[in-house]
Amino acid sequence: MRVLVLNAKRTHGLKKADGKPYEMYELTVALPLRPVAQGNYNMEGFGYDVASLPLDPAAFQKFAPALTQPRILELIKEPMIMFGELKDTVIGFNEPK
């Protein structure tokens, strides 16, 4: 999956509900805006929209030297169980050819 990667981030802290610690990793990417027409919902526009992808904690530091500014990368994804659900998770990247 070749995309414009904006950032890789780690969010952590204590849950408000029970005070237990949490930790989440995600990648924010920019994708070309695509028109949508579904029944009563319609959307059109120009430019890019942002999306978040789950990021494997082991891959987080790999992005540090690559993301001094937004850049196009070829993402490597693999299915992983996160929070009890099977999700395509980013495990690394390659330089685009």
Side-chain angles (χ1 to χ4, degrees):
M1 174 181 201
R2 187 179 184 163
V3 294
L4 176 61
V5 180
L6 303 176
N7 66 54
K9 62 184 168 184
R10 172 183 174 238
T11 306
H12 58 99
L14 300 175
K15 295 179 189 175
K16 286 182 183 180
D18 56 15
K20 291 184 180 177
Y22 71 89
E23 186 173 47
M24 298 184 316
Y25 293 83
E26 66 182 7
L27 205 62
T28 305
V29 300
L31 300 169
L33 195 63
R34 294 186 182 176
V36 176
Q38 296 178 345
N40 291 332
Y41 177 76
N42 297 287
M43 186 269 301
E44 58 273 333
F46 307 98
Y48 289 79
D49 210 348
V50 295
S52 295
L53 300 170
L55 178 62
D56 182 3
F60 179 66
Q61 288 299 327
K62 295 177 187 176
F63 285 89
L67 288 178
T68 56
Q69 62 184 8
R71 64 189 284 199
I72 294 174
L73 296 172
E74 187 73 38
L75 300 181
I76 303 167
K77 299 188 306 181
E78 191 172 277
M80 296 179 84
I81 296 176
M82 298 191 110
F83 306 109
E85 294 181 15
L86 187 64
K87 295 186 176 194
D88 272 347
T89 303
V90 177
I91 61 167
F93 65 90
N94 289 318
E95 295 292 334
K97 295 177 178 152

